[in-house]
């Protein structure tokens, strides 16, 4: 197995894991806007926990997609063409979600806020579900022919594994968000998030556990099975820590669960990057789908310089906004005129 394609397969797995860790909790917070928050003040608390970081978290999605395009163009082409419709839904969902973050507080009426709250919640759900479906199909297979082209109609990608992957990322995102809210908020929101986390952990992690185990039964090795067992141990540790009120450690234990589970899945399918459900001979591998060694070598130099800078900058951002948020920090809601309307009103008044 060639070294550079293997390194970049690991790098892309790390990028997707980083995306799920960071974007997972803010997608979950978006869904909890309608499932968890009881009033407008609590919804504003939830928004303020992710407000400074949510757009930075989405950079990891762009980086993972861009790295796949540059390092494994055949993998990128086959995956994105076969999943054109669900990935379009993800894009639209992310757009609606981003617009809702900006527009929600512009008018002080319940109906206005309710519409944008639904946009945040549904946008977060469909984004999480679509990404989960795509990642699950990357590890379980798509109907691809010898050219890497999709066989069938625009719904040929839809399968039980797609639903399982979608539910897996939705469930993990919700649970990860509860751990994040218990860590990042204070008062009633903090206490309720901790209680919900302890109660829902065994249920919300079932889909992602089923995904990991199904991949192991198909392609697993002893060492990837060992990672699954360690991931279960991390989930148990997160439950015990949250039950004892160790919110920061519980949140990091969830990160350990994700890292170990992701490593077990990507490790089990290696060296295949995209299996074909029609014929194993049509599988795309790290060797057959990769760019040239020159391209991968140049990318490695750029990544060695750029990626640490991104990590340091984002870590600094989280440090700056590390304080807890509570209802006491939320000012009274009010409407305001846009700047252009304010000038017109002053001139005419």
């Amino acid at each position: 197995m060639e070294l550079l394609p293997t390194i970049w397969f690991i790098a892309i797995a790390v990028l997707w894991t980083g995306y799920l860790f960071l974007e997972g909790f803010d997608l979950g917070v978006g869904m909890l806007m309608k499932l968890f928050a009881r009033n407008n003040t609590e919804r504003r608390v939830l928004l303020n926990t992710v407000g400074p970081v949510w757009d930075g978290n989405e950079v990891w999605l762009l980086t993972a997609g861009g790295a796949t395009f540059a390092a494994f163009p055949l993998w990128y082409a086959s995956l994105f063409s076969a999943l054109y419709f669900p990935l379009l839904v993800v894009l639209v969902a992310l757009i609606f979600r981003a617009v809702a973050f900006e527009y929600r507080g512009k008018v002080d009426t319940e109906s206005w806020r309710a519409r944008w709250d639904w946009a945040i919640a549904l946008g977060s759900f469909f984004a999480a579900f679509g990404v989960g479906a795509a990642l699950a199909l990357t590890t379980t297979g798509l109907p691809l022919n010898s050219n890497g082209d999709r066989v069938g109609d625009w719904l040929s990608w839809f399968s039980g594994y797609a639903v399982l992957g979608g539910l897996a990322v939705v469930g993990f995102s919700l649970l990860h968000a509860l751990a994040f809210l218990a860590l990042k908020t204070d008062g009633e929101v903090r206490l309720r998030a901790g209680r919900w986390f302890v109660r829902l952990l065994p249920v919300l992690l079932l889909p992602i556990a089923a995904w990991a185990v199904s991949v192991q039964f198909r392609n697993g090795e002893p060492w990837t099975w060992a990672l699954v067992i360690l991931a279960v141990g991390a989930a148990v540790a997160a439950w015990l820590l949250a039950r004892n009120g160790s919110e920061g450690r519980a949140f990091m234990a969830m990160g350990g669960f994700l890292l170990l589970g992701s490593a077990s899945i990507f490790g089990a399918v290696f060296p295949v990057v995209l299996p074909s459900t029609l014929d194993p001979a049509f599988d795309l591998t790290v060797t057959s789908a990769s760019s040239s060694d020159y391209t991968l070598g140049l990318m490695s130099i750029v990544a060695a310089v750029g990626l640490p800078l991104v990590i340091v900058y984002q870590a600094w951002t989280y440090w700056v906004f590390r304080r807890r948020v509570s209802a006491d920090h939320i000012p009274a809601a009010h409407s305001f005129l846009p700047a252009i309307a304010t000038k017109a009103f002053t001139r005419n008044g």
Side-chain angles (χ1 to χ4, degrees):
M1 195 63 59
E2 295 186 25
L3 178 60
L4 283 176
T6 301
I7 290 174
W8 272 98
F9 175 83
I10 296 171
I12 289 171
V14 170
L15 289 172
W16 279 115
T17 304
Y19 171 73
L20 292 177
F21 179 76
L22 294 173
E23 184 79 344
F25 68 75
D26 78 48
L27 289 174
V29 167
M31 288 183 273
L32 291 174
M33 290 281 289
K34 300 302 290 186
L35 297 174
F36 176 84
R38 293 176 175 175
N39 51 52
N40 181 49
T41 299
E42 290 192 355
R43 293 187 181 97
R44 292 177 67 189
V45 169
L46 265 61
L47 285 176
N48 276 270
T49 62
V50 298
V53 297
W54 67 268
D55 46 356
N57 293 340
E58 289 187 355
V59 170
W60 288 78
L61 175 63
L62 300 176
T63 306
T68 304
F69 170 76
F72 299 98
L74 294 182
W75 180 10
Y76 178 93
S78 296
L79 180 67
F80 278 67
S81 60
L83 300 180
Y84 186 87
F85 177 73
L87 292 177
L88 177 63
V89 171
V90 169
L91 178 61
V92 172
L94 290 174
I95 291 172
F96 267 92
R97 182 172 176 269
V99 171
F101 274 128
E102 301 296 334
Y103 275 48
R104 182 188 185 274
K106 300 303 183 185
V107 178
D108 183 23
T109 66
E110 288 297 327
S111 60
W112 174 269
R113 287 191 292 264
R115 285 194 291 270
W116 294 116
D117 287 342
W118 277 112
I120 294 172
L122 293 177
S124 299
F125 171 80
F126 282 109
F129 189 92
V131 168
L135 290 176
L137 292 172
T138 298
T139 58
T140 57
L142 286 164
L144 304 176
N145 61 21
S146 58
N147 292 322
D149 298 326
R150 182 192 68 203
V151 175
D153 60 21
W154 63 281
L155 276 177
S156 59
W157 58 272
F158 189 78
S159 66
Y161 284 118
V163 175
L164 180 63
L167 293 177
V169 173
V170 167
F172 174 80
S173 296
L174 287 170
L175 192 65
H176 200 34
L178 290 171
F180 176 75
L181 290 175
L183 174 64
K184 195 68 173 63
T185 63
D186 212 347
E188 175 60 24
V189 172
R190 174 187 180 183
L191 296 175
R192 193 165 2 115
R195 291 195 300 267
W196 278 38
F197 179 86
V198 172
R199 292 172 184 171
L200 296 178
L201 184 147
V203 177
L204 293 179
L205 289 188
L206 280 178
I208 198 168
W211 173 17
V213 170
S214 66
V215 171
Q216 300 309 313
F217 276 119
R218 290 160 59 99
N219 308 105
E221 301 286 343
W223 70 274
T224 59
W225 274 106
L227 290 176
V228 172
I229 295 172
L230 290 174
V232 173
V236 173
W239 186 85
L240 292 173
L241 289 166
R243 189 179 181 188
N244 293 329
S246 299
E247 297 149 344
R249 293 179 181 178
F251 181 76
M252 295 310 297
M254 284 299 298
F257 166 82
L258 175 66
L259 178 62
L260 292 165
S262 176
S264 73
I265 292 173
F266 280 101
V269 299
F270 180 83
V272 175
V273 295
L274 188 57
S276 171
T277 57
L278 301 181
D279 190 334
F282 302 156
D283 291 350
L284 297 178
T285 67
V286 293
T287 301
S288 65
S290 69
S291 296
S292 66
D293 284 347
Y294 176 81
T295 299
L296 296 179
L298 183 61
M299 288 175 59
S300 299
I301 296 172
V302 174
V305 176
L307 189 58
L309 293 176
V310 172
I311 293 174
V312 169
Y313 172 78
Q314 197 156 21
W316 176 79
T317 303
Y318 277 91
W319 175 255
V320 170
F321 295 101
R322 67 189 182 277
R323 303 294 184 186
R324 290 182 182 270
V325 181
S326 71
D328 295 336
H329 299 143
I330 305 300
H334 61 280
S335 296
F336 65 92
L337 291 173
I340 187 171
T342 303
K343 291 180 180 178
F345 178 80
T346 302
R347 186 168 53 250
N348 294 333

